[in-house]
Amino acid sequence: MTKPEIPADPQRLREEIEQTRAELGETVEQLAAKTDVKARTKQALGDAGGRARQTLTDVKDQAAQAAGVVAEKASTAKQQLSEADLPAPVRRRLPLAAFAAAAAAVIVVVVVVTRRIRS
């Protein structure tokens, strides 16, 4: 190992010593941060919580969008049924069936999205 050159100028030597102290201080701070398990755990939990909240928001948005599509389709189906020439008992049962199908579609979308998030 070679010895570093020692500057002859005392002022330059002081500057190098100060620079070395600053670098050593930064290194010590970095090592201390790595050994602070409690702080690192809190940071990891905060990050995970943020990701979970974002995912939940995304799922809510997708579910609301799917519900809007289903509601629109149910409304269209109801309008078409009211305009159709069907006997009264059949017309009364069809909107209920359309609503049940729409609700089932929303449930399927929510289940699929939830499973994709968990995997």
Side-chain angles (χ1 to χ4, degrees):
M1 191 165 156
T2 62
K3 291 184 179 180
E5 279 189 43
I6 299 174
D9 180 23
Q11 182 60 30
R12 178 73 181 137
L13 182 59
R14 285 185 191 104
E15 290 172 1
E16 285 186 16
I17 290 172
E18 281 302 314
Q19 182 180 0
T20 303
R21 282 183 181 161
E23 291 172 359
L24 182 60
E26 289 175 13
T27 303
V28 168
E29 286 178 13
Q30 290 172 354
L31 289 172
K34 284 186 177 185
T35 59
D36 189 359
V37 176
K38 187 175 180 180
R40 291 177 69 193
T41 303
K42 280 185 179 181
Q43 180 65 37
L45 285 173
D47 293 346
R51 286 192 306 272
R53 282 188 291 278
Q54 182 60 44
T55 301
L56 180 61
T57 300
D58 293 345
V59 169
K60 283 181 182 178
D61 292 344
Q62 289 175 352
Q65 186 178 20
V69 169
V70 169
E72 184 179 325
K73 287 182 179 183
S75 176
T76 302
K78 182 178 178 183
Q79 180 66 29
Q80 289 173 348
L81 286 175
S82 67
E83 295 171 357
D85 290 334
L86 297 173
V90 173
R91 270 189 270 146
R92 277 185 245 139
R93 286 189 206 128
L94 286 177
L96 180 61
F99 177 75
V106 169
I107 290 171
V108 167
V109 167
V110 170
V111 168
V112 167
V113 169
T114 304
R115 286 189 179 176
R116 284 186 182 173
I117 289 170
R118 288 184 182 170
S119 62

